[in-house]
Amino acid sequence: MRKILSLILLSVSPLFVRAIAAQDVAKADTAATGALSGRWIVNADFFGSPLYFGLLLEQHGGNLTGNFAGDKLEGSAADGHIHFLAKDEHGGTEEGTASVVGGTITGSVIFRDSSDPTHPEKHSFTATRVATRREGAAKRHEFVPTTFYRRFSAENKPVLTIAPGDTIHTTTVDAGGTDEKGVTRVLGGNPETGPFYIETAAPGDTLAVHITRLRLNRDYAISDDGVVGRALDSDWAVKMKDGFKNVRWHLDLANGTASPEKPAEHLTHYSVPVRPMLGCVAVAPGSTQAAPGTGDSGRYGGNMDFNEIIEDATVYLSVNVPGALLYFGDGHAAQGDGELNGNALETSMDVEVTVDVIPNKHVPGPRVESATHLVAIGLAGSLDDAFREATANMASWLTEEYKLTPSEVAQVLGTAAEYKVSEVADRNAGMVLKISKERLKLLATAAK
């Protein structure tokens, strides 16, 4: 597979040239101290569009080793020039040639796909060093949104820049674009608060989004009375043909319940406990795909509609572009598994999240951690495919964190897996695989 989704190249500290002799000394010092070592972001030009890749580089004298877009890299550095070759597990390669000027690397990379090695692609790039983590106490940011976006795009201007460890306190509008005062602020379709630019976040990292506060901020929610087609057989499809009329729900904030404002005959006494959740948490997808709408989902997160993304949960998403660009929205007062109505109890929300960056950590799909469970999410066009994605996501998690062999992974999944349907209302279906942390305690002990 061509590595056009996660590259990062090298960058070097400036070599100050005053004379030939001084230049030679500087080059010797650079080689000796490993000035190229560290994390870098590559901005590559793919037919006029920027693609970002990540690299972890180590320098030992004139030799370079490291990780280029997840591929093992070897190369050399001399006289202000760099050459490297990275190989993926399928036989594809990325070969780069570049020069170092003023802390920036400029050059080109040749991509060779193992399935089509006779047609390599050459693309120019620039590379800069990943920013270091800001020192000092974490900050709490009070943010009042004035703009809401309807696409998860790397091209949207960040509304705020924050450091890892910082907390954001803000609000979201509901799926129809209406705020806590009942004022429609933007066209509907899950408009998002954000994006927030996270310092130090680079391709190849994972963003951790811990939901520290999630509270209702108005006394009503909107839903409807239909059931999505994925959930119906032909008989019930006919019976539900007049569905999807709006239903307004009263949110009793004092007692924590929701009930229809104008209940039908048999729902006069019907109510459900509220359980505020975020339908959408996302980072910007990579630039290889057109920016998806905020009703969509994928490995970047997005409109996952998983009803356990609640207060005290942590969502893990792989970073695709510099700064990650965090979005969230689509608050639900309550939602059953699958979001069967096509809408949940849609409402605005008061949100507080704390963000952090896990360097050089890639996750294959969205993950959630609660006080009691690890949760791997699969999102795909069918429930079968989503089931497979969730299973592979959790298998990778157990392998990475607990060092289990495939045989051991199978034994744990076979005895501890808990599956549930998270989403059937949108283009992608969602399945989640949960494992209780109680079951994993002995594994954690053994892995240490």
Side-chain angles (χ1 to χ4, degrees), residues 230 379-388 427-431:
R230 260 197 183 106
L379 297 159
S382 70
L383 284 170
D384 279 354
D385 287 342
F387 180 90
R388 282 187 278 270
R427 183 183 68 87
N428 279 334
M431 288 286 292

Side-chain angles (χ1 to χ4, degrees), residues 81-363:
H81 297 282
I82 292 170
H83 178 265
F84 68 87
L85 181 66
K87 300 179 181 179
D88 68 27
E89 59 186 9
H90 304 293
T93 63
E94 303 93 23
E95 183 175 9
T97 303
S99 59
V100 182
V101 178
T104 299
I105 301 209
T106 303
S108 61
V109 180
I110 298 173
F111 295 87
R112 287 187 174 84
D113 192 331
S114 59
S115 64
D116 190 15
T118 60
H119 294 88
E121 290 189 9
K122 184 176 183 179
H123 300 281
S124 62
F125 73 89
T126 58
T128 54
R129 190 181 290 274
V130 174
T132 57
R133 186 163 179 146
R134 189 189 304 173
E135 296 182 357
K139 297 181 179 180
R140 187 174 188 273
H141 304 268
E142 292 287 344
F143 177 73
V144 178
T146 57
T147 300
F148 302 91
Y149 287 104
R150 301 173 64 248
R151 292 191 308 156
F152 299 118
S153 174
E155 297 178 1
N156 292 333
K157 183 179 179 181
V159 296
L160 186 68
T161 296
I162 67 171
D166 284 0
T167 296
I168 308 161
H169 178 235
T170 187
T171 58
T172 66
V173 294
D174 68 17
T178 302
D179 67 13
E180 67 275 14
K181 297 177 182 179
V183 177
T184 300
R185 305 275 300 279
V186 60
L187 192 64
N190 295 342
E192 303 292 299
T193 298
F196 300 94
Y197 186 99
I198 317 301
E199 294 176 350
T200 82
D205 296 343
T206 290
L207 188 70
V209 184
H210 182 62
I211 302 171
T212 54
R213 178 182 173 87
L214 195 58
R215 304 295 169 82
L216 303 176
N217 60 8
R218 74 184 196 203
D219 66 359
Y220 73 95
I222 302 298
S223 189
D224 55 48
D225 66 351
V227 174
V228 298
R230 260 197 183 106
L232 298 175
D233 62 14
S234 57
D235 289 342
W236 270 100
V238 172
K239 293 175 182 179
M240 291 284 184
K241 65 182 177 61
D242 296 322
F244 294 101
K245 297 182 294 294
N246 284 345
V247 177
R248 183 173 165 124
W249 292 68
H250 173 67
L251 304 179
D252 186 336
L253 303 184
N255 294 310
T257 60
S259 56
E261 286 191 353
K262 297 179 179 179
E265 177 185 359
H266 300 99
L267 299 182
T268 303
H269 302 292
Y270 183 74
S271 67
V272 295
V274 298
R275 196 188 192 201
M277 56 163 283
L278 288 176
C280 294
V281 181
V283 293
S287 302
T288 52
Q289 66 181 103
T294 48
D296 210 347
S297 61
R299 294 187 178 184
Y300 55 88
N303 187 32
M304 297 181 284
D305 288 321
F306 174 40
N307 59 17
E308 295 183 39
I309 299 180
I310 59 175
E311 188 168 296
D312 290 331
T314 300
V315 180
Y316 299 100
L317 299 169
S318 275
V319 176
N320 304 298
V321 301
L325 298 184
L326 170 65
Y327 297 83
F328 49 80
D330 188 28
H332 299 168
Q335 179 200 296
D337 291 349
E339 200 184 31
L340 289 178
N341 298 130
N343 289 310
L345 299 193
E346 308 288 343
T347 190
S348 58
M349 203 74 73
D350 185 89
V351 181
E352 183 178 279
V353 300
T354 299
V355 300
D356 211 341
V357 175
I358 306 173
N360 306 310
K361 169 73 173 180
H362 171 78
V363 294

